[in-house]
Amino acid sequence: MKHACAALSLWAAIAFVFPSGTDQPRELRNLAYYEGPGAHPRKHLLNLFLPSASAGHPVLVFVHGGSWKRGDKDAYGGAYGAMGRSLAAEGVAVAVINYRLTPEVRHPEHTRDVARAVSWVHNKASLYGWNARKIVLVGHSAGAHLCSLTALDATYLEEHGLTPDVIGGVVGVSGIYDLTRLGVTGQLLFQDVFGVRDEQLQSASPALRVQGKPAPFLLLYADKDIPTFDYQTRRLESALDKSGGTVRSVEIPDRNHRNIIAGLGRKGDPVRDEVLRFLRELFPSGQPPAP
C-alpha cells in the first residue's frame, strides 16, 4: 500500500494544465477517478482535455482497446492525446481513461472501472464546465464492448447511484458485442477474461443486455476489419433496433482494425466527421460546430 500511495503521488505530481486564458485546449493528466478500496496507482487514472473558453459542452469518455489485456491511455503512438486535443478544439471535453486489465482482473471488473469513470465525470461537471446531461461514451475494440455494456446493463451504474439515462450516447468503434457468437476458438482466446460458461458469456454480451430504451448508438467498423467484426456490429444494431433504440452503423473505407481509431484525431477524417455529426444530432442546440 505504501508503494501504491507513493506511485499515485508521483503521477499526481506530474499532472499539468495549459495556462488559462490561452486559445489552446487545457490538458490535465493523471487525474484519479477512483480512490476507494483497491484503487490502482495507474489504472484508475484519466487524462482530461478541456475546451479553452466554453461551458455546458459535451464530454466524451474514451475507452481504449487491447483485448481487455493490454493498452493504456498514453499509448498508441500519441493518437489518444491527438484525439483529445482535436476534439477539445471543437468545443468537446474528452476524458481518456485507463482501466484494470486481465490477468490482474476478470470480467466484470473492467466494466466496473468504466462505470466508476462515468460516475466521476458526472460528478465533476460543475468543476470542469461540461454538461452532465451530455456524457457520451466512445470506445475502440474491447473499449467499444465496455462502453456498450456500461450503457446497456444498468447494474454497473447502479453501483454509483446512477441510471443509464445519464449517458447521452455511445460510439462503438470495431467492437465485440456478442461473446456467444465468437465460436469455440474465439471463446477460448478470451476465456481468461470472461470464462467459457454460457451464463458468463451472456452476461458480458452487450447485444444480450439491452434493457428498456437505450441511449442512441453510433457503430463504426473498418472495411478491412478483423473477420466477423461487421457481423458483431450487426448483432448489436439488430438488438438496439428491436428495443426501439436509435442506432446508425457505418463502414469506414480504407481502414483496418488498428488504424481506424487514429482518424478520430484528424480533421477531415470520416471517423472524426461521423462522431461530430453524431454529437450534433444528439445535442443540436449546442457544441460542437460542423467540421
Side-chain angles (χ1 to χ4, degrees), residues 58-61 118 121-122 131-138 147 150-151 157 163-171 213-218 246-247 278-284:
V59 55
L60 305 189
V61 179
V118 172
V121 166
H122 182 267
N131 190 327
R133 296 189 177 187
K134 295 183 178 181
I135 299 173
V136 177
L137 306 188
V138 182
C147 287
T150 302
L157 289 174
T163 56
D165 61 9
V166 303
I167 297 172
V170 181
V171 180
K213 186 174 181 179
F217 270 69
L218 171 64
T246 300
V247 56
F278 183 59
L279 292 176
R280 292 194 304 274
E281 292 170 349
L282 291 176
F283 317 119

mmCIF file of all heavy atoms in Angstrom, residues 58-61 118 121-122 131-138 147 150-151 157 163-171 213-218 246-247 278-284:
data_model
loop_
_atom_site.group_PDB
_atom_site.id
_atom_site.type_symbol
_atom_site.label_atom_id
_atom_site.label_comp_id
_atom_site.label_asym_id
_atom_site.label_seq_id
_atom_site.Cartn_x
_atom_site.Cartn_y
_atom_site.Cartn_z
ATOM 1 N N PRO A 58 -20.459 19.111 -24.432
ATOM 2 C CA PRO A 58 -20.457 17.657 -24.240
ATOM 3 C C PRO A 58 -19.118 17.184 -23.691
ATOM 4 O O PRO A 58 -18.093 17.867 -23.816
ATOM 5 C CB PRO A 58 -20.677 17.103 -25.652
ATOM 6 C CG PRO A 58 -21.161 18.249 -26.462
ATOM 7 C CD PRO A 58 -20.581 19.478 -25.852
ATOM 8 N N VAL A 59 -19.118 15.992 -23.116
ATOM 9 C CA VAL A 59 -17.877 15.369 -22.657
ATOM 10 C C VAL A 59 -17.874 13.914 -23.129
ATOM 11 O O VAL A 59 -18.848 13.189 -22.944
ATOM 12 C CB VAL A 59 -17.726 15.460 -21.122
ATOM 13 C CG1 VAL A 59 -18.926 14.888 -20.385
ATOM 14 C CG2 VAL A 59 -16.431 14.782 -20.666
ATOM 15 N N LEU A 60 -16.787 13.531 -23.785
ATOM 16 C CA LEU A 60 -16.612 12.154 -24.232
ATOM 17 C C LEU A 60 -15.757 11.401 -23.228
ATOM 18 O O LEU A 60 -14.703 11.900 -22.811
ATOM 19 C CB LEU A 60 -15.927 12.105 -25.599
ATOM 20 C CG LEU A 60 -16.537 12.875 -26.756
ATOM 21 C CD1 LEU A 60 -15.822 12.517 -28.061
ATOM 22 C CD2 LEU A 60 -18.030 12.611 -26.876
ATOM 23 N N VAL A 61 -16.183 10.217 -22.870
ATOM 24 C CA VAL A 61 -15.356 9.304 -22.069
ATOM 25 C C VAL A 61 -14.812 8.265 -23.038
ATOM 26 O O VAL A 61 -15.570 7.442 -23.560
ATOM 27 C CB VAL A 61 -16.174 8.640 -20.949
ATOM 28 C CG1 VAL A 61 -15.296 7.673 -20.153
ATOM 29 C CG2 VAL A 61 -16.788 9.694 -20.034
ATOM 30 N N VAL A 118 -17.365 7.002 -15.441
ATOM 31 C CA VAL A 118 -18.584 7.727 -15.800
ATOM 32 C C VAL A 118 -19.135 8.469 -14.577
ATOM 33 O O VAL A 118 -19.554 9.635 -14.676
ATOM 34 C CB VAL A 118 -19.647 6.773 -16.376
ATOM 35 C CG1 VAL A 118 -20.983 7.495 -16.569
ATOM 36 C CG2 VAL A 118 -19.171 6.188 -17.700
ATOM 37 N N VAL A 121 -17.010 11.552 -13.978
ATOM 38 C CA VAL A 121 -17.316 12.584 -14.970
ATOM 39 C C VAL A 121 -18.653 13.251 -14.652
ATOM 40 O O VAL A 121 -18.795 14.476 -14.711
ATOM 41 C CB VAL A 121 -17.316 11.975 -16.389
ATOM 42 C CG1 VAL A 121 -17.956 12.931 -17.395
ATOM 43 C CG2 VAL A 121 -15.895 11.638 -16.810
ATOM 44 N N HIS A 122 -19.637 12.456 -14.301
ATOM 45 C CA HIS A 122 -20.947 13.001 -13.956
ATOM 46 C C HIS A 122 -20.847 13.945 -12.756
ATOM 47 O O HIS A 122 -21.453 15.028 -12.748
ATOM 48 C CB HIS A 122 -21.917 11.855 -13.659
ATOM 49 C CG HIS A 122 -23.311 12.295 -13.346
ATOM 50 N ND1 HIS A 122 -23.754 12.525 -12.053
ATOM 51 C CD2 HIS A 122 -24.375 12.567 -14.155
ATOM 52 C CE1 HIS A 122 -25.013 12.891 -12.077
ATOM 53 N NE2 HIS A 122 -25.424 12.933 -13.333
ATOM 54 N N ASN A 131 -21.493 19.638 -19.489
ATOM 55 C CA ASN A 131 -22.885 19.390 -19.146
ATOM 56 C C ASN A 131 -23.047 17.931 -18.742
ATOM 57 O O ASN A 131 -22.755 17.022 -19.535
ATOM 58 C CB ASN A 131 -23.778 19.712 -20.354
ATOM 59 C CG ASN A 131 -25.254 19.714 -20.016
ATOM 60 O OD1 ASN A 131 -25.720 18.956 -19.160
ATOM 61 N ND2 ASN A 131 -26.016 20.559 -20.697
ATOM 62 N N ALA A 132 -23.510 17.691 -17.532
ATOM 63 C CA ALA A 132 -23.665 16.323 -17.030
ATOM 64 C C ALA A 132 -24.701 15.534 -17.814
ATOM 65 O O ALA A 132 -24.764 14.307 -17.696
ATOM 66 C CB ALA A 132 -24.048 16.347 -15.551
ATOM 67 N N ARG A 133 -25.513 16.214 -18.634
ATOM 68 C CA ARG A 133 -26.502 15.523 -19.462
ATOM 69 C C ARG A 133 -25.979 15.286 -20.869
ATOM 70 O O ARG A 133 -26.736 14.857 -21.749
ATOM 71 C CB ARG A 133 -27.796 16.338 -19.518
ATOM 72 C CG ARG A 133 -28.474 16.476 -18.163
ATOM 73 C CD ARG A 133 -29.840 17.099 -18.299
ATOM 74 N NE ARG A 133 -30.526 17.162 -17.022
ATOM 75 C CZ ARG A 133 -31.790 17.536 -16.864
ATOM 76 N NH1 ARG A 133 -32.501 17.880 -17.939
ATOM 77 N NH2 ARG A 133 -32.345 17.573 -15.676
ATOM 78 N N LYS A 134 -24.721 15.603 -21.094
ATOM 79 C CA LYS A 134 -24.122 15.426 -22.420
ATOM 80 C C LYS A 134 -22.895 14.519 -22.338
ATOM 81 O O LYS A 134 -21.846 14.803 -22.902
ATOM 82 C CB LYS A 134 -23.754 16.780 -23.024
ATOM 83 C CG LYS A 134 -24.949 17.672 -23.314
ATOM 84 C CD LYS A 134 -24.527 18.979 -23.975
ATOM 85 C CE LYS A 134 -25.730 19.853 -24.302
ATOM 86 N NZ LYS A 134 -25.329 21.120 -24.958
ATOM 87 N N ILE A 135 -23.018 13.421 -21.610
ATOM 88 C CA ILE A 135 -21.941 12.441 -21.493
ATOM 89 C C ILE A 135 -22.091 11.407 -22.606
ATOM 90 O O ILE A 135 -23.145 10.790 -22.757
ATOM 91 C CB ILE A 135 -21.965 11.741 -20.123
ATOM 92 C CG1 ILE A 135 -21.775 12.763 -18.992
ATOM 93 C CG2 ILE A 135 -20.892 10.663 -20.048
ATOM 94 C CD1 ILE A 135 -21.964 12.178 -17.602
ATOM 95 N N VAL A 136 -21.038 11.228 -23.386
ATOM 96 C CA VAL A 136 -21.045 10.262 -24.483
ATOM 97 C C VAL A 136 -19.862 9.310 -24.292
ATOM 98 O O VAL A 136 -18.729 9.750 -24.070
ATOM 99 C CB VAL A 136 -20.930 10.976 -25.847
ATOM 100 C CG1 VAL A 136 -20.862 9.953 -26.985
ATOM 101 C CG2 VAL A 136 -22.116 11.914 -26.048
ATOM 102 N N LEU A 137 -20.116 8.028 -24.367
ATOM 103 C CA LEU A 137 -19.062 7.014 -24.247
ATOM 104 C C LEU A 137 -18.550 6.662 -25.636
ATOM 105 O O LEU A 137 -19.344 6.432 -26.554
ATOM 106 C CB LEU A 137 -19.593 5.761 -23.567
ATOM 107 C CG LEU A 137 -20.282 5.936 -22.211
ATOM 108 C CD1 LEU A 137 -20.576 4.569 -21.589
ATOM 109 C CD2 LEU A 137 -19.464 6.780 -21.271
ATOM 110 N N VAL A 138 -17.230 6.621 -25.780
ATOM 111 C CA VAL A 138 -16.598 6.266 -27.053
ATOM 112 C C VAL A 138 -15.539 5.215 -26.763
ATOM 113 O O VAL A 138 -14.649 5.431 -25.932
ATOM 114 C CB VAL A 138 -15.935 7.487 -27.727
ATOM 115 C CG1 VAL A 138 -15.331 7.079 -29.072
ATOM 116 C CG2 VAL A 138 -16.938 8.612 -27.908
ATOM 117 N N CYS A 147 -17.851 0.141 -23.217
ATOM 118 C CA CYS A 147 -18.765 1.279 -23.261
ATOM 119 C C CYS A 147 -20.203 0.813 -23.462
ATOM 120 O O CYS A 147 -21.131 1.296 -22.793
ATOM 121 C CB CYS A 147 -18.366 2.227 -24.392
ATOM 122 S SG CYS A 147 -16.867 3.175 -24.078
ATOM 123 N N THR A 150 -21.590 -0.925 -20.309
ATOM 124 C CA THR A 150 -21.857 0.066 -19.262
ATOM 125 C C THR A 150 -23.170 0.792 -19.529
ATOM 126 O O THR A 150 -23.949 1.066 -18.605
ATOM 127 C CB THR A 150 -20.710 1.084 -19.186
ATOM 128 O OG1 THR A 150 -19.477 0.404 -18.927
ATOM 129 C CG2 THR A 150 -20.947 2.113 -18.093
ATOM 130 N N ALA A 151 -23.418 1.094 -20.797
ATOM 131 C CA ALA A 151 -24.626 1.838 -21.149
ATOM 132 C C ALA A 151 -25.884 0.978 -21.164
ATOM 133 O O ALA A 151 -26.988 1.498 -20.941
ATOM 134 C CB ALA A 151 -24.441 2.484 -22.527
ATOM 135 N N LEU A 157 -23.838 1.091 -13.445
ATOM 136 C CA LEU A 157 -24.030 2.461 -12.978
ATOM 137 C C LEU A 157 -24.833 2.515 -11.688
ATOM 138 O O LEU A 157 -24.677 3.452 -10.893
ATOM 139 C CB LEU A 157 -24.704 3.289 -14.066
ATOM 140 C CG LEU A 157 -23.816 3.590 -15.274
ATOM 141 C CD1 LEU A 157 -24.623 4.281 -16.374
ATOM 142 C CD2 LEU A 157 -22.613 4.456 -14.881
ATOM 143 N N THR A 163 -28.345 5.889 -13.157
ATOM 144 C CA THR A 163 -29.070 5.052 -14.101
ATOM 145 C C THR A 163 -28.505 5.297 -15.497
ATOM 146 O O THR A 163 -27.848 6.319 -15.745
ATOM 147 C CB THR A 163 -30.573 5.382 -14.087
ATOM 148 O OG1 THR A 163 -30.749 6.775 -14.364
ATOM 149 C CG2 THR A 163 -31.178 5.058 -12.722
ATOM 150 N N PRO A 164 -28.734 4.375 -16.437
ATOM 151 C CA PRO A 164 -28.163 4.540 -17.781
ATOM 152 C C PRO A 164 -28.576 5.811 -18.505
ATOM 153 O O PRO A 164 -27.911 6.216 -19.466
ATOM 154 C CB PRO A 164 -28.663 3.294 -18.525
ATOM 155 C CG PRO A 164 -28.825 2.269 -17.456
ATOM 156 C CD PRO A 164 -29.351 3.047 -16.272
ATOM 157 N N ASP A 165 -29.641 6.486 -18.055
ATOM 158 C CA ASP A 165 -30.043 7.696 -18.777
ATOM 159 C C ASP A 165 -29.095 8.869 -18.548
ATOM 160 O O ASP A 165 -29.275 9.933 -19.156
ATOM 161 C CB ASP A 165 -31.484 8.077 -18.454
ATOM 162 C CG ASP A 165 -31.726 8.375 -16.978
ATOM 163 O OD1 ASP A 165 -30.747 8.455 -16.204
ATOM 164 O OD2 ASP A 165 -32.906 8.531 -16.596
ATOM 165 N N VAL A 166 -28.067 8.696 -17.714
ATOM 166 C CA VAL A 166 -27.044 9.744 -17.609
ATOM 167 C C VAL A 166 -26.138 9.740 -18.841
ATOM 168 O O VAL A 166 -25.389 10.694 -19.062
ATOM 169 C CB VAL A 166 -26.175 9.608 -16.334
ATOM 170 C CG1 VAL A 166 -27.051 9.627 -15.095
ATOM 171 C CG2 VAL A 166 -25.299 8.369 -16.367
ATOM 172 N N ILE A 167 -26.192 8.674 -19.622
ATOM 173 C CA ILE A 167 -25.377 8.568 -20.833
ATOM 174 C C ILE A 167 -26.195 9.076 -22.016
ATOM 175 O O ILE A 167 -27.244 8.531 -22.344
ATOM 176 C CB ILE A 167 -24.922 7.113 -21.055
ATOM 177 C CG1 ILE A 167 -24.028 6.668 -19.893
ATOM 178 C CG2 ILE A 167 -24.192 6.973 -22.386
ATOM 179 C CD1 ILE A 167 -23.673 5.211 -19.910
ATOM 180 N N GLY A 168 -25.675 10.112 -22.672
ATOM 181 C CA GLY A 168 -26.398 10.713 -23.778
ATOM 182 C C GLY A 168 -26.263 9.957 -25.078
ATOM 183 O O GLY A 168 -27.116 10.058 -25.962
ATOM 184 N N GLY A 169 -25.190 9.186 -25.240
ATOM 185 C CA GLY A 169 -24.969 8.438 -26.457
ATOM 186 C C GLY A 169 -23.734 7.575 -26.337
ATOM 187 O O GLY A 169 -22.928 7.741 -25.408
ATOM 188 N N VAL A 170 -23.583 6.648 -27.271
ATOM 189 C CA VAL A 170 -22.454 5.715 -27.273
ATOM 190 C C VAL A 170 -21.925 5.588 -28.694
ATOM 191 O O VAL A 170 -22.698 5.433 -29.643
ATOM 192 C CB VAL A 170 -22.870 4.310 -26.762
ATOM 193 C CG1 VAL A 170 -21.659 3.374 -26.746
ATOM 194 C CG2 VAL A 170 -23.493 4.398 -25.376
ATOM 195 N N VAL A 171 -20.598 5.649 -28.824
ATOM 196 C CA VAL A 171 -19.933 5.380 -30.100
ATOM 197 C C VAL A 171 -19.076 4.133 -29.921
ATOM 198 O O VAL A 171 -18.140 4.129 -29.112
ATOM 199 C CB VAL A 171 -19.049 6.549 -30.556
ATOM 200 C CG1 VAL A 171 -18.379 6.219 -31.885
ATOM 201 C CG2 VAL A 171 -19.866 7.831 -30.666
ATOM 202 N N LYS A 213 -35.362 1.363 -23.211
ATOM 203 C CA LYS A 213 -34.977 2.103 -24.411
ATOM 204 C C LYS A 213 -33.567 2.641 -24.203
ATOM 205 O O LYS A 213 -33.339 3.489 -23.352
ATOM 206 C CB LYS A 213 -35.947 3.244 -24.697
ATOM 207 C CG LYS A 213 -35.648 3.934 -26.021
ATOM 208 C CD LYS A 213 -36.701 4.967 -26.369
ATOM 209 C CE LYS A 213 -36.379 5.620 -27.716
ATOM 210 N NZ LYS A 213 -37.396 6.622 -28.102
ATOM 211 N N PRO A 214 -32.596 2.177 -24.981
ATOM 212 C CA PRO A 214 -31.206 2.550 -24.748
ATOM 213 C C PRO A 214 -30.871 3.937 -25.279
ATOM 214 O O PRO A 214 -31.637 4.544 -26.038
ATOM 215 C CB PRO A 214 -30.432 1.484 -25.526
ATOM 216 C CG PRO A 214 -31.362 1.123 -26.647
ATOM 217 C CD PRO A 214 -32.750 1.215 -26.079
ATOM 218 N N ALA A 215 -29.711 4.426 -24.896
ATOM 219 C CA ALA A 215 -29.184 5.669 -25.457
ATOM 220 C C ALA A 215 -28.925 5.479 -26.953
ATOM 221 O O ALA A 215 -28.738 4.352 -27.421
ATOM 222 C CB ALA A 215 -27.879 6.040 -24.749
ATOM 223 N N PRO A 216 -28.900 6.562 -27.728
ATOM 224 C CA PRO A 216 -28.549 6.440 -29.151
ATOM 225 C C PRO A 216 -27.127 5.900 -29.330
ATOM 226 O O PRO A 216 -26.226 6.217 -28.547
ATOM 227 C CB PRO A 216 -28.650 7.879 -29.659
ATOM 228 C CG PRO A 216 -29.580 8.558 -28.704
ATOM 229 C CD PRO A 216 -29.303 7.934 -27.378
ATOM 230 N N PHE A 217 -26.940 5.098 -30.375
ATOM 231 C CA PHE A 217 -25.651 4.481 -30.668
ATOM 232 C C PHE A 217 -25.188 4.850 -32.070
ATOM 233 O O PHE A 217 -25.990 4.911 -33.010
ATOM 234 C CB PHE A 217 -25.751 2.957 -30.600
ATOM 235 C CG PHE A 217 -25.483 2.361 -29.247
ATOM 236 C CD1 PHE A 217 -26.375 2.550 -28.201
ATOM 237 C CD2 PHE A 217 -24.342 1.598 -29.019
ATOM 238 C CE1 PHE A 217 -26.142 1.988 -26.950
ATOM 239 C CE2 PHE A 217 -24.097 1.031 -27.782
ATOM 240 C CZ PHE A 217 -24.994 1.230 -26.737
ATOM 241 N N LEU A 218 -23.887 5.060 -32.213
ATOM 242 C CA LEU A 218 -23.205 5.123 -33.500
ATOM 243 C C LEU A 218 -22.186 3.994 -33.509
ATOM 244 O O LEU A 218 -21.326 3.920 -32.616
ATOM 245 C CB LEU A 218 -22.501 6.466 -33.684
ATOM 246 C CG LEU A 218 -21.562 6.586 -34.895
ATOM 247 C CD1 LEU A 218 -22.332 6.446 -36.209
ATOM 248 C CD2 LEU A 218 -20.787 7.895 -34.844
ATOM 249 N N THR A 246 -32.247 4.143 -31.105
ATOM 250 C CA THR A 246 -31.735 4.821 -32.285
ATOM 251 C C THR A 246 -30.304 4.357 -32.520
ATOM 252 O O THR A 246 -29.460 4.455 -31.624
ATOM 253 C CB THR A 246 -31.745 6.347 -32.093
ATOM 254 O OG1 THR A 246 -33.083 6.782 -31.853
ATOM 255 C CG2 THR A 246 -31.191 7.054 -33.320
ATOM 256 N N VAL A 247 -30.006 3.850 -33.706
ATOM 257 C CA VAL A 247 -28.667 3.327 -33.991
ATOM 258 C C VAL A 247 -28.348 3.547 -35.460
ATOM 259 O O VAL A 247 -29.219 3.420 -36.325
ATOM 260 C CB VAL A 247 -28.569 1.827 -33.618
ATOM 261 C CG1 VAL A 247 -29.629 1.002 -34.318
ATOM 262 C CG2 VAL A 247 -27.175 1.284 -33.897
ATOM 263 N N PHE A 278 -22.681 12.864 -35.122
ATOM 264 C CA PHE A 278 -23.462 12.195 -34.083
ATOM 265 C C PHE A 278 -23.714 13.147 -32.912
ATOM 266 O O PHE A 278 -24.834 13.235 -32.386
ATOM 267 C CB PHE A 278 -22.713 10.945 -33.628
ATOM 268 C CG PHE A 278 -23.408 10.102 -32.608
ATOM 269 C CD1 PHE A 278 -24.655 9.545 -32.860
ATOM 270 C CD2 PHE A 278 -22.804 9.825 -31.392
ATOM 271 C CE1 PHE A 278 -25.293 8.741 -31.924
ATOM 272 C CE2 PHE A 278 -23.421 9.019 -30.451
ATOM 273 C CZ PHE A 278 -24.670 8.473 -30.712
ATOM 274 N N LEU A 279 -22.683 13.891 -32.509
ATOM 275 C CA LEU A 279 -22.838 14.824 -31.401
ATOM 276 C C LEU A 279 -23.806 15.949 -31.750
ATOM 277 O O LEU A 279 -24.609 16.376 -30.911
ATOM 278 C CB LEU A 279 -21.477 15.404 -31.012
ATOM 279 C CG LEU A 279 -20.478 14.425 -30.386
ATOM 280 C CD1 LEU A 279 -19.151 15.116 -30.141
ATOM 281 C CD2 LEU A 279 -21.022 13.834 -29.097
ATOM 282 N N ARG A 280 -23.749 16.426 -32.973
ATOM 283 C CA ARG A 280 -24.681 17.475 -33.389
ATOM 284 C C ARG A 280 -26.117 16.963 -33.393
ATOM 285 O O ARG A 280 -27.049 17.693 -33.062
ATOM 286 C CB ARG A 280 -24.306 18.014 -34.771
ATOM 287 C CG ARG A 280 -22.993 18.797 -34.794
ATOM 288 C CD ARG A 280 -22.856 19.586 -36.090
ATOM 289 N NE ARG A 280 -22.961 18.751 -37.281
ATOM 290 C CZ ARG A 280 -21.963 18.091 -37.835
ATOM 291 N NH1 ARG A 280 -20.757 18.124 -37.263
ATOM 292 N NH2 ARG A 280 -22.134 17.378 -38.932
ATOM 293 N N GLU A 281 -26.297 15.703 -33.767
ATOM 294 C CA GLU A 281 -27.639 15.113 -33.749
ATOM 295 C C GLU A 281 -28.140 14.944 -32.314
ATOM 296 O O GLU A 281 -29.332 15.138 -32.024
ATOM 297 C CB GLU A 281 -27.631 13.768 -34.467
ATOM 298 C CG GLU A 281 -27.400 13.882 -35.971
ATOM 299 C CD GLU A 281 -27.150 12.530 -36.624
ATOM 300 O OE1 GLU A 281 -26.955 11.539 -35.883
ATOM 301 O OE2 GLU A 281 -27.144 12.463 -37.868
ATOM 302 N N LEU A 282 -27.230 14.565 -31.416
ATOM 303 C CA LEU A 282 -27.615 14.380 -30.016
ATOM 304 C C LEU A 282 -27.942 15.698 -29.332
ATOM 305 O O LEU A 282 -28.897 15.789 -28.555
ATOM 306 C CB LEU A 282 -26.485 13.686 -29.249
ATOM 307 C CG LEU A 282 -26.181 12.231 -29.573
ATOM 308 C CD1 LEU A 282 -24.959 11.765 -28.783
ATOM 309 C CD2 LEU A 282 -27.381 11.332 -29.266
ATOM 310 N N PHE A 283 -27.124 16.714 -29.612
ATOM 311 C CA PHE A 283 -27.216 17.989 -28.913
ATOM 312 C C PHE A 283 -27.300 19.131 -29.926
ATOM 313 O O PHE A 283 -26.360 19.914 -30.079
ATOM 314 C CB PHE A 283 -26.003 18.176 -27.992
ATOM 315 C CG PHE A 283 -25.630 16.944 -27.220
ATOM 316 C CD1 PHE A 283 -24.383 16.345 -27.386
ATOM 317 C CD2 PHE A 283 -26.525 16.358 -26.333
ATOM 318 C CE1 PHE A 283 -24.035 15.217 -26.673
ATOM 319 C CE2 PHE A 283 -26.197 15.215 -25.616
ATOM 320 C CZ PHE A 283 -24.938 14.636 -25.778
ATOM 321 N N PRO A 284 -28.408 19.249 -30.640
ATOM 322 C CA PRO A 284 -28.486 20.194 -31.756
ATOM 323 C C PRO A 284 -28.387 21.659 -31.377
ATOM 324 O O PRO A 284 -28.041 22.496 -32.213
ATOM 325 C CB PRO A 284 -29.852 19.882 -32.382
ATOM 326 C CG PRO A 284 -30.643 19.251 -31.282
ATOM 327 C CD PRO A 284 -29.650 18.474 -30.470
#
